[in-house]
């Protein structure tokens, strides 16, 4: 299995998990054209797209996915809030705590903490990848997880960088409150990782880094030091093997 | 002792030399202000008239003259460019730019405008009056910007004698939409897009590199655009919430609990069905309870 990052910022988020025969898209925040390129135009192998919440950088292109006959999955609140206009293919409804089978992927959604209608994180299971944790846009995770093999976790800002930018007048103070109550800080990300059993984890991918309030190189270095795992920063275009084991 | 003419000379900003608490200064200033208040060249709020009593006009003049002394500008210039919006003094944007350009510390401000492509659909927050809460509360909305170009503007310049480029934070149309500036009734952002981008970038530049020039005052267009919401520091609340709830309940995708139900279009198409309260689909909770569909959604995890 391979992970391709098509976008991981407020400009648009989308990730593709794929092997030769099937692909699962996580987030519809980039144009379907990008997704088609990522799967080498073999769109029929896309078994579905799961969406965490309704904000434009995660759900802005749901209509395009539906028009391309890709089955989209999201929470009830997300679908209502996303104002999807294309209705020839209904979006299937995910609910926190209810496992759903999508191709050979099993998806267990869980509720997360973001300023959206009904935001979700996902535990995804596949024979090749093992258990994947996907959490974005959540200022903390209420849960701990067992048996994880790969992790995609938001690492949006570091508090000292944020405070420095506010002091310099580069960021309005109002935005600070919104960030604190909607996105995951480096510190919280690290705490969340260390609160879990990482013994079987192969890759940690830091996603949704803020443009101005983060430092990718330091985040990668410090999370690697804290966990001892392979750490990647989800830059647009990143492609990495995403299997249970590194071999 | 003879002065060494080669020694560098430190530029000293002009400091205010008017002291409100010095009777002599105050007396002189009153006479100066009376003169300004009698002039026909000053704007209405500084001019004594039947609608603007002389005491009020002189008070306004005194504040303007004191500010002029503080930043080394002409009192008339201050009076013509200080505008009261919603009861608060503000600068006109062009005055702020002129102040930066003529203060002697920086080269004139310049602007870099980049087209980032079409805007697309943007979520933004508007603050609307809530009768129950008796205050403005955030309301999420969506802006269709599929036909709007996302222009970005950065104001920049160098300090005199230095080659380091000082850039403002980038201001783009996406930000203007997200902050609610673009969509406000009567907004100039839709009709004078480039001008507003340059003005706002200049304001941000001044806030970052020379806040003393604006004396902490916003520009006229900033005051019109930016709504001040009472600031509430949420740090403590968030820290407490995280300490109490983060990483607590363990879940396992391989668990043998019967908590899984395949979503089906018939039962779970939210476009065609109203959501029941609680889980409502007869799903099992981890302790084996079956939800009746009438209960409130449980606070605990649904695993």
């Amino acid at each position: 299995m391979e992970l391709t990052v098509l976008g991981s910022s407020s400009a648009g988020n989308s990730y593709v998990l794929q092997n030769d025969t099937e692909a699962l898209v996580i987030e519809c925040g980039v144009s379907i054209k990008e997704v088609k390129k990522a799967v080498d135009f073999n769109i029929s192998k896309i078994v579905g797209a799961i969406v965490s919440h309704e904000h434009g950088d995660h759900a802005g292109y749901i209509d395009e996915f539906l028009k391309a006959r890709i089955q989209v999955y999201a929470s009830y609140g997300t679908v209502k809030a996303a104002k999807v206009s294309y209705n020839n293919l209904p979006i299937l409804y995910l609910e926190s705590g209810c496992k759903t089978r999508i191709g050979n992927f099993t998806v267990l959604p869980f509720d997360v903490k973001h300023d959206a209608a009904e935001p979700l994180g996902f535990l995804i299971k596949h024979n090749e990848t093992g258990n994947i944790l996907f959490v974005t846009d959540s200022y903390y995770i209420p849960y701990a997880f067992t048996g994880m093999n790969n992790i995609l976790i938001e690492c949006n800002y570091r508090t000292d960088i944020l405070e420095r930018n506010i002091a310099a007048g580069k960021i309005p103070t109002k935005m600070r409150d919104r960030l604190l109550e909607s996105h995951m800080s480096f510190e919280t990300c690290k705490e969340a990782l260390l609160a879990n059993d990482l013994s079987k984890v192969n890759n940690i991918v830091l996603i949704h880094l803020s443009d101005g309030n983060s430092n990718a190189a330091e985040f990668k270095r410090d999370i690697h030091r804290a966990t001892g795992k392979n750490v990647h920063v989800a830059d647009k275009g990143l492609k990495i093997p995403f299997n249970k084991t590194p071999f | 002792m003879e002065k060494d003419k080669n020694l560098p000379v430190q530029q000293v900003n002009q400091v205010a030399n008017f002291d409100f608490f010095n009777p002599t200064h105050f007396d002189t200033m009153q006479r100066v202000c009376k003169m300004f208040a009698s002039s026909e060249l000053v704007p209405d709020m500084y001019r004594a008239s039947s609608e603007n009593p002389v005491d009020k006009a002189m008070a306004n003049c005194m504040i303007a003259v004191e500010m002029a002394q503080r930043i080394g500008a002409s009192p008339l210039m201050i009076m013509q460019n200080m505008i009261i919006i919603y009861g608060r003094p503000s600068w006109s944007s062009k005055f702020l730019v002129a102040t930066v350009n003529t203060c002697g510390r920086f080269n004139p401000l310049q602007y870099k405008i980049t087209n980032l492509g079409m805007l697309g659909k943007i979520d933004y927050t508007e603050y609307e009056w809530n009768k129950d809460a008796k205050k403005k509360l955030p309301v999420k909305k969506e802006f269709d910007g599929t036909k709007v170009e996302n222009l970005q503007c950065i104001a920049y310049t160098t300090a005199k004698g230095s080659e380091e480029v000082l850039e403002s934070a980038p201001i783009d149309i996406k930000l203007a939409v997200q902050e609610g500036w673009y969509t406000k009734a009567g907004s100039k952002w839709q009709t004078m897009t480039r001008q507003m981008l340059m003005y706002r970038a200049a304001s941000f530049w001044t806030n970052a590199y020379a806040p003393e020039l604006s004396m902490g005052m916003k520009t006229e267009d900033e005051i019109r655009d930016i709504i001040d919401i009472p600031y509430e520091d949420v740090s403590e609340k968030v820290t407490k919430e995280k300490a109490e709830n983060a990483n607590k309940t363990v879940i396992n995708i391989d668990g043998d609990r019967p908590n899984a139900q395949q979503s089906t279009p018939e039962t779970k198409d939210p476009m065609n069905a109203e959501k029941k309260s609680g889980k409502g689909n007869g799903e099992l909770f981890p302790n084996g309870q079956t939800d009746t569909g009438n209960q409130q959604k449980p606070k605990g995890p649904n695993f």
Side-chain angles (χ1 to χ4, degrees), chain A residues 98-166:
Chain A
C98 297
K99 275 192 262 189
T100 299
R101 185 94 172 165
I102 305 173
N104 286 315
F105 295 90
T106 301
V107 177
L108 174 61
F110 54 89
D111 49 294
V112 295
K113 302 289 176 183
H114 189 53
D115 58 349
E118 194 181 347
L120 296 173
F122 306 110
L123 268 176
I124 303 164
K125 186 178 182 180
H126 188 279
N127 283 343
E128 291 178 29
T129 60
N131 296 337
I132 301 170
L133 171 66
F134 177 86
V135 185
T136 188
D137 292 47
S138 182
Y139 62 100
Y140 70 92
I141 313 171
Y143 305 107
F145 309 91
T146 57
M148 290 184 295
N149 300 107
N150 289 287
I151 297 173
L152 291 112
I153 186 167
E154 178 182 28
C155 193
N156 188 269
Y157 66 93
R158 201 172 65 203
T159 310
D160 61 320
I161 302 175
L162 176 66
E163 298 294 353
R164 211 160 50 226
N165 285 337
I166 289 167

Side-chain angles (χ1 to χ4, degrees), chain B residues 174-210:
Chain B
K174 185 179 177 188
L175 177 75
V177 171
Q178 286 173 328
E179 286 290 323
W181 308 336
Y182 194 90
T183 49
K184 271 191 120 168
S187 169
K188 298 283 181 199
W189 284 86
Q190 297 182 24
T191 50
M192 300 164 59
T193 309
R194 283 174 179 259
Q195 190 68 57
M196 294 307 288
L197 278 168
M198 288 193 282
Y199 279 168
R200 192 54 48 87
S203 298
F204 274 47
W205 187 96
T206 313
N207 291 343
Y209 299 108

Side-chain angles (χ1 to χ4, degrees), chain B residues 205-265:
Chain B
W205 187 96
T206 313
N207 291 343
Y209 299 108
E212 68 281 8
L213 292 179
S214 63
M215 299 175 69
M217 282 160 54
K218 292 178 177 168
T219 60
E220 173 195 1
D221 53 87
E222 272 182 305
I223 287 201
R224 287 190 200 280
D225 276 347
I226 298 169
I227 304 165
D228 281 336
I229 300 296
Y231 178 68
E232 182 195 356
D233 189 349
V234 297
S235 316
E236 207 170 300
K237 189 182 95 182
V238 168
T239 307
K240 191 178 169 204
E241 190 185 343
K242 281 182 189 172
E244 286 173 359
N245 303 319
N247 316 309
K248 289 285 190 277
T249 312
V250 178
I251 58 173
N252 178 5
I253 196 168
D254 296 319
D256 54 0
R257 288 169 177 162
N259 61 357
Q261 273 207 347
Q262 176 81 42
S263 301
T264 61

Side-chain angles (χ1 to χ4, degrees), chain B residues 87-239:
Chain B
R88 295 171 63 183
S90 62
W91 299 121
S92 70
S93 293
K94 60 189 175 203
F95 173 74
L96 192 66
V97 175
T99 308
V100 173
N101 288 349
T102 58
C103 73
R105 289 163 48 204
F106 306 101
N107 290 309
L109 278 177
Q110 296 183 64
Y111 305 93
K112 194 163 49 184
I113 294 185
T114 316
N115 188 340
L116 301 178
M118 303 312 276
L119 197 55
K121 290 182 179 174
I122 301 289
D123 294 309
Y124 69 101
T125 305
E126 219 170 71
Y127 286 85
E128 292 181 353
W129 183 257
N130 184 301
K131 281 182 190 171
D132 299 329
K134 292 183 179 172
K135 63 180 181 180
K136 285 188 171 179
L137 292 178
V139 179
K140 291 268 174 201
K141 295 192 174 179
E142 187 182 73
F143 175 77
D144 185 0
T146 45
K147 293 178 182 170
V148 179
E149 287 179 336
N150 187 16
L151 300 177
Q152 183 191 67
C153 181
I154 294 173
Y156 67 98
T157 188
T158 52
K160 284 188 174 167
S162 164
E163 289 182 0
E164 188 191 355
V165 177
L166 307 172
E167 283 191 350
S168 71
I171 306 295
D172 55 38
I173 300 299
K174 185 179 177 188
L175 177 75
V177 171
Q178 286 173 328
E179 286 290 323
W181 308 336
Y182 194 90
T183 49
K184 271 191 120 168
S187 169
K188 298 283 181 199
W189 284 86
Q190 297 182 24
T191 50
M192 300 164 59
T193 309
R194 283 174 179 259
Q195 190 68 57
M196 294 307 288
L197 278 168
M198 288 193 282
Y199 279 168
R200 192 54 48 87
S203 298
F204 274 47
W205 187 96
T206 313
N207 291 343
Y209 299 108
E212 68 281 8
L213 292 179
S214 63
M215 299 175 69
M217 282 160 54
K218 292 178 177 168
T219 60
E220 173 195 1
D221 53 87
E222 272 182 305
I223 287 201
R224 287 190 200 280
D225 276 347
I226 298 169
I227 304 165
D228 281 336
I229 300 296
Y231 178 68
E232 182 195 356
D233 189 349
V234 297
S235 316
E236 207 170 300
K237 189 182 95 182
V238 168
T239 307

Side-chain angles (χ1 to χ4, degrees), chain A residues 148 196-202 229:
Chain A
M148 290 184 295
N196 283 284
D197 173 14
L198 302 177
S199 59
K200 292 178 185 166
V201 170
N202 188 18
K229 298 292 171 183

